């Protein structure tokens, strides 16, 4: 089948613009060495029992923006509690955005990340929506390079592991009136991690939420804003009590079409080989993993349809066999099969399908340096 026409999104176009190498960008965030790093025993305890997102490394990257001055004070500094006034606007109005990206250790010891220019474009897109300042894309990538070079020993070895990088930016100005902050802090922290879902490739059960929504038209759904995730937590707690790992949100007006899960996008594999994913409606987040999967599949000749996916049609398709697999995807989740989909009106099960496993193998193969990278997605950090 011919390669399908795909008009790159704005984020994809920005991500494709060339950027300096890690060696060229290194040094923008000078290192202040942590005088009290983790002890060998603390380090071993973290690295020998990798979880997700709850242990952090010895350093963090930081810079501060002040209105009228721009970004200042770039540095990699000791990891530790922030000196934040209780009047900081973020604590009151949630003016914050973040990114998720990973550092992977290849077999030869080198350390790589995946499409950092996509995340650089997206943090600026999110920042614009939250009235936060944009940053130079090279500063964004340099913050990853300098931070990872300082804490390279924390990048674990082995398939399914990574140093999960969390760049984030928030309104730190002491002001409880409501306005766009005039002082903003940006940090990168990192967490040595194993799989996001303990069940890994065995699959997760998902509860389809009715009555609660993650975001609406004109809102912040397409930005990676902390508040979007806060809004997903209450329904997620209710679903967790019923034994479900995540929730799937539906559109706000009709509660008819799939949008995204609490923190990841989703794909549907049809028995005829076509693959579908909810369209970028301005309400869901444009995931880097979503974008990479669409491109890989299209270049292999698979038909990928970004469109509205009606829940009732999906459930009927699962029952009839027209839908063969569903999976979630994101930087943290990578590719996670969805093996059960339920709410008060239905409860259907799906297998861990071959297509899901193949996409997982191909994507992680590129990320870990085991497969060729024809798209030039890998970027050497160290
Ligand atoms: C990521 O996939 O990196 C995210 O930011 C989502 C979050 C649920 C961990």
């Amino acid at each position: 089948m011919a390669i399908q026409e795909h008009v790159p999104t704005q984020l994809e176009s920005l991500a494709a613009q060339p950027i300096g190498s890690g060696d060229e960008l290194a040094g923008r965030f000078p290192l202040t060495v942590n005088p009290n790093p983790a002890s060998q025993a603390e380090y071993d305890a973290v690295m020998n029992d990798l979880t997700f997102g709850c242990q952090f490394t010895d350093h963090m990257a930081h810079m501060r923006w002040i209105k009228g001055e721009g970004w200042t004070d770039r540095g990699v500094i000791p990891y530790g509690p922030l000196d934040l006034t209780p009047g900081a606007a973020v604590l009151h109005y949630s003016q914050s955005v973040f990114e998720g990206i990973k550092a992977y250790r290849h077999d030869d010891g080198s350390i790589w990340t995946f499409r950092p220019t996509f995340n650089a474009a997206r943090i600026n897109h999110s920042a614009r929506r939250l009235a936060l300042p944009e940053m130079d894309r090279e500063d964004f990538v340099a913050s990853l390079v300098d931070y990872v070079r300082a804490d390279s020993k924390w990048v674990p070895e082995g398939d399914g592991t990574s140093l999960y990088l969390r760049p984030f930016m928030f309104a730190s100005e002491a002001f409880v009136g409501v306005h766009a902050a005039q002082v903003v802090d940006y940090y990168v922290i990192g967490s040595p991690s194993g799989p996001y879902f303990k069940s890994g490739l065995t699959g997760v059960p998902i509860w389809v939420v009715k009555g609660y929504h993650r975001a609406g038209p004109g809102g912040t759904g397409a930005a990676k804003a902390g508040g979007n995730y806060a809004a997903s937590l209450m329904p997620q707690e209710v679903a967790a009590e019923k034994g479900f790992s995540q929730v799937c949100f539906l559109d706000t007006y009709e509660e008819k079409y799939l949008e995204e899960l609490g923190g990841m996008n989703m794909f549907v594999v049809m028995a005829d080989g076509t693959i579908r994913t909810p369209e970028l409606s301005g309400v869901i987040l444009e995931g880097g993993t979503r974008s990479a999967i669409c491109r890989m599949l299209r270049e292999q000749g698979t038909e990928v349809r970004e469109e509205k996916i009606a829940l009732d049609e999906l459930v009927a398709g699962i029952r009839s066999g027209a839908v063969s697999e569903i999976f979630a995807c994101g930087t943290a989740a990578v590719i996670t099969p969805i093996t059960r989909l339920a709410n008060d009106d239905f409860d259907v099960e799906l297998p861990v399908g071959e297509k899901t496993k193949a996409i997982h193998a191909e994507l992680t193969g590129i990320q870990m340096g085991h497969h060729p990278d024809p798209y030039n997605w890998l970027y050497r950090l160290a």
Side-chain angles (χ1 to χ4, degrees):
M1 192 186 288
I3 293 174
Q4 296 144 68
E5 200 60 45
H6 167 66
V7 180
T9 65
Q10 198 183 23
L11 293 190
E12 287 168 342
S13 300
L14 290 168
Q17 290 175 9
I19 193 156
S21 69
D23 282 345
E24 283 160 349
L25 300 186
R28 288 187 179 208
F29 288 73
L31 174 63
T32 304
V33 174
N34 187 341
N36 297 303
S39 66
Q40 187 63 40
E42 287 164 338
Y43 171 83
D44 290 344
V46 172
M47 300 305 270
N48 293 334
D49 183 20
L50 293 169
T51 51
F52 180 88
C54 49
Q55 311 275 3
F56 300 95
T57 67
D58 292 324
H59 296 91
M60 57 190 180
H62 172 246
M63 61 179 173
R64 170 164 292 173
W65 179 87
I66 301 172
K67 190 168 180 176
E69 293 179 33
W71 288 104
T72 62
D73 285 347
R74 289 170 187 75
V76 172
I77 56 179
Y79 180 89
L82 306 182
D83 183 10
L84 192 66
T85 165
V90 66
L91 301 176
H92 306 274
Y93 309 121
S94 304
Q95 196 191 357
S96 72
V97 299
F98 68 97
E99 273 303 319
I101 182 165
K102 286 175 169 172
Y104 307 95
R105 188 179 293 282
H106 287 188
D107 291 343
D108 65 359
S110 59
I111 301 172
W112 301 74
T113 193
F114 188 74
R115 290 179 97 190
T117 49
F118 185 94
N119 300 74
R122 193 170 62 182
I123 199 168
N124 280 337
H125 165 79
S126 302
R128 269 197 299 283
R129 180 63 187 85
L130 271 288
L132 287 162
E134 294 182 42
M135 68 176 81
D136 177 334
R137 68 203 285 267
E138 296 200 330
D139 271 352
F140 176 84
V141 177
S143 68
L144 308 181
V145 170
D146 283 328
Y147 162 66
V148 167
R149 288 185 181 200
D151 274 347
S152 58
K153 71 173 191 179
W154 291 94
V155 181
E157 274 173 25
D159 286 342
T161 73
S162 63
L163 178 62
Y164 180 76
L165 306 174
R166 172 51 62 88
F168 61 105
M169 189 202 298
F170 59 88
S172 46
E173 181 189 359
F175 183 60
V176 295
V178 182
H179 75 186
Q182 307 199 350
V183 183
V184 169
D185 279 289
Y186 165 80
Y187 289 88
V188 182
I189 57 173
S191 176
S193 294
Y196 185 76
F197 291 114
K198 283 211 167 58
S199 52
L201 258 186
T202 60
V204 290
I206 301 292
W207 181 258
V208 182
V209 188
K210 290 215 168 168
Y212 295 103
H213 299 278
R214 176 185 164 274
T220 57
K224 209 161 170 61
N228 294 343
Y229 296 77
S232 75
L233 295 178
M234 188 273 267
Q236 173 130 347
E237 286 290 288
V238 174
E241 276 165 26
K242 299 181 207 282
F244 291 82
S245 305
Q246 270 270 325
V247 287
C248 169
F249 288 102
L250 299 174
D251 73 282
T252 304
Y253 290 128
E254 299 181 77
E255 293 207 314
K256 184 170 175 187
Y257 301 105
L258 307 184
E259 286 194 337
E260 66 175 77
L261 307 186
M264 49 210 74
N265 298 122
M266 62 196 297
F267 280 80
V268 176
V269 182
M270 305 299 291
D272 68 6
T274 309
I275 303 222
R276 308 169 71 197
T277 191
E279 65 190 359
L280 297 175
S281 55
V283 172
I284 69 169
L285 187 78
E286 181 176 345
T289 310
R290 176 190 181 282
S291 155
I293 293 169
C294 287
R295 172 136 184 227
M296 287 189 324
L297 290 170
R298 286 188 174 120
E299 299 220 357
Q300 291 163 5
T302 301
E303 187 184 347
V304 180
R305 299 208 305 260
E306 297 177 61
E307 61 188 5
K308 285 190 167 27
I309 301 176
L311 176 66
D312 55 0
E313 186 204 317
L314 180 75
V315 173
I318 295 169
R319 288 189 171 131
S320 73
V323 169
S324 51
E325 306 168 34
I326 309 184
F327 63 87
C329 69
T331 300
V334 196
I335 288 167
T336 302
I338 294 175
T339 45
R340 183 177 166 203
L341 200 63
N343 77 5
D344 288 331
D345 304 324
F346 63 85
D347 194 340
V348 285
E349 294 195 356
L350 295 116
V352 176
E354 290 310 313
K355 192 73 194 171
T356 304
K357 285 194 250 178
I359 297 169
H360 179 273
E362 184 170 356
L363 182 69
T364 57
I366 293 174
Q367 290 169 335
M368 296 305 291
H370 298 148
H371 292 177
D373 172 23
Y375 314 104
N376 207 17
W377 281 334
L378 288 182
Y379 181 91
R380 185 162 184 172
L381 292 170

